[in-house]
Amino acid sequence: MRIDEVRTPTLTELFTGQLREKILSGELKAGDRLPPERDMAKSAGVSQSIVHQSVIHLRNVGLLEVRPRKGTFVADYLRTGTASTIKELFEHSSIPMSQETVEPIMSFRRGIEVPAVKLSCLNRTEQDLDRMEEILRGMGPEQSATERGQAFFSFFHEAALASGNPYYPLIINTFGDIYRMFSSYSVRNGQSSADRMRLDLDEILQAIRDRDVELADKLVNREIDRWISSFEKSYNAK
């Protein structure tokens, strides 16, 4: 069994978490102006550089907006957010996870992965198969949940590349952080979940190798159902 490293949060992470919580809870609303960084630093008892790093992070994930010569404002992230905002919400929101909550992600996976894998059954080359096989060979019990999440993403990205349609791999890559995050949580639900993931991907690869479009469709949909169920259990247990 591999246990992830336990570490103490930094002051920057703690301050970022406090500010993030005020935004996600609605205490700070879209359009609200934050106090100057020096004032927040003095109030929190931290350096101004820590506050600045937190503001930059929350700006990068779409929760804050920095307007030159005007100040820092809470962003209307539901209107202007990106894939990074989605990841931030899932990682730090207190909203319980359910199949209803993650339905948009599940629908996205079905809408992109299923046709991409089906197309890869028709267009894959031996080199494509070799690359996917190499990813699966690297998935072992010594891997951390984060490493498993990366392998899971890499497999479907390679399958999308094998489809021959350039838009599938580009779209999947755009949401790469979300793939890795969800998959890491599902693996942390237990070693059997990690083993199940590897078996599911093995079967999908075999269907691609056999050019069995109908079976590939069935297997990818089954894997998505298991993925969502495992993620829901893991997330709500954290």
Side-chain angles (χ1 to χ4, degrees):
M1 178 181 69
R2 169 83 177 254
I3 298 178
D4 291 341
E5 179 184 1
V6 177
R7 63 182 184 85
T8 303
T10 65
L11 287 175
T12 301
E13 290 170 335
L14 291 172
F15 183 80
T16 301
Q18 183 179 158
L19 192 53
R20 180 195 298 114
E21 177 58 28
K22 290 181 182 297
I23 296 171
L24 297 183
S25 69
E27 182 178 342
L28 289 174
K29 296 178 171 53
D32 284 353
R33 181 178 178 176
L34 269 58
E37 291 182 6
R38 62 178 179 275
D39 292 350
M40 289 192 286
K42 183 177 180 180
S43 177
V46 298
S47 69
Q48 190 171 334
S49 66
I50 285 175
V51 174
H52 183 68
Q53 290 175 54
S54 297
V55 168
I56 293 301
H57 171 76
L58 294 175
R59 181 202 64 185
N60 290 343
V61 299
L63 297 182
L64 291 178
E65 178 186 357
V66 179
R67 302 174 190 171
R69 297 184 296 277
K70 292 185 178 181
T72 301
F73 298 80
V74 177
D76 189 357
Y77 60 86
L78 293 182
R79 292 181 182 275
T80 62
T82 64
S84 296
T85 314
I86 296 174
K87 180 176 182 290
E88 195 79 359
L89 286 174
F90 275 120
E91 287 191 325
H92 301 289
S93 174
S94 59
I95 300 174
M97 285 296 105
S98 66
Q99 289 207 11
E100 181 180 356
T101 308
V102 297
E103 176 63 33
I105 304 299
M106 185 161 53
S107 297
F108 168 81
R109 286 199 60 195
R110 294 193 200 280
I112 297 298
E113 288 174 26
V114 173
V117 171
K118 289 169 67 175
L119 200 54
S120 72
C121 290
L122 303 176
N123 296 331
R124 94 301 185 271
T125 66
E126 289 301 317
Q127 290 76 20
D128 294 324
L129 295 175
D130 289 343
R131 284 191 287 268
M132 285 184 275
E133 180 64 38
E134 183 178 358
I135 292 168
L136 296 187
R137 282 200 301 268
M139 295 179 70
E142 72 284 353
Q143 283 187 312
S144 67
T146 300
E147 291 167 336
R148 288 277 181 133
Q150 175 60 45
F152 178 88
F153 161 75
S154 296
F155 178 86
F156 279 105
H157 189 243
E158 284 296 335
L161 286 165
S163 73
N165 183 322
Y167 294 103
Y168 286 135
L170 289 172
I171 292 172
I172 288 177
N173 198 49
T174 300
F175 289 86
D177 285 345
I178 298 174
Y179 271 82
R180 287 182 279 266
M181 179 199 68
F182 269 71
S183 303
S184 296
Y185 275 128
S186 68
V187 170
R188 289 190 183 102
N189 191 46
Q191 185 59 40
S192 61
S193 176
D195 292 341
R196 183 70 263 172
M197 178 188 292
R198 167 63 191 272
L199 290 173
D200 283 347
L201 297 185
D202 278 333
E203 290 184 86
I204 292 170
L205 177 56
Q206 188 60 50
I208 295 173
R209 179 179 286 110
D210 294 340
R211 301 188 188 275
D212 192 331
V213 175
E214 184 177 347
L215 180 58
D217 184 317
K218 177 181 177 181
L219 291 174
V220 174
N221 276 294
R222 186 187 68 180
E223 190 281 325
I224 292 172
D225 290 336
R226 287 176 173 165
W227 183 74
I228 291 296
S229 176
S230 182
F231 172 79
E232 181 183 348
K233 292 176 184 176
S234 179
Y235 187 99
N236 291 326
K238 71 175 182 168

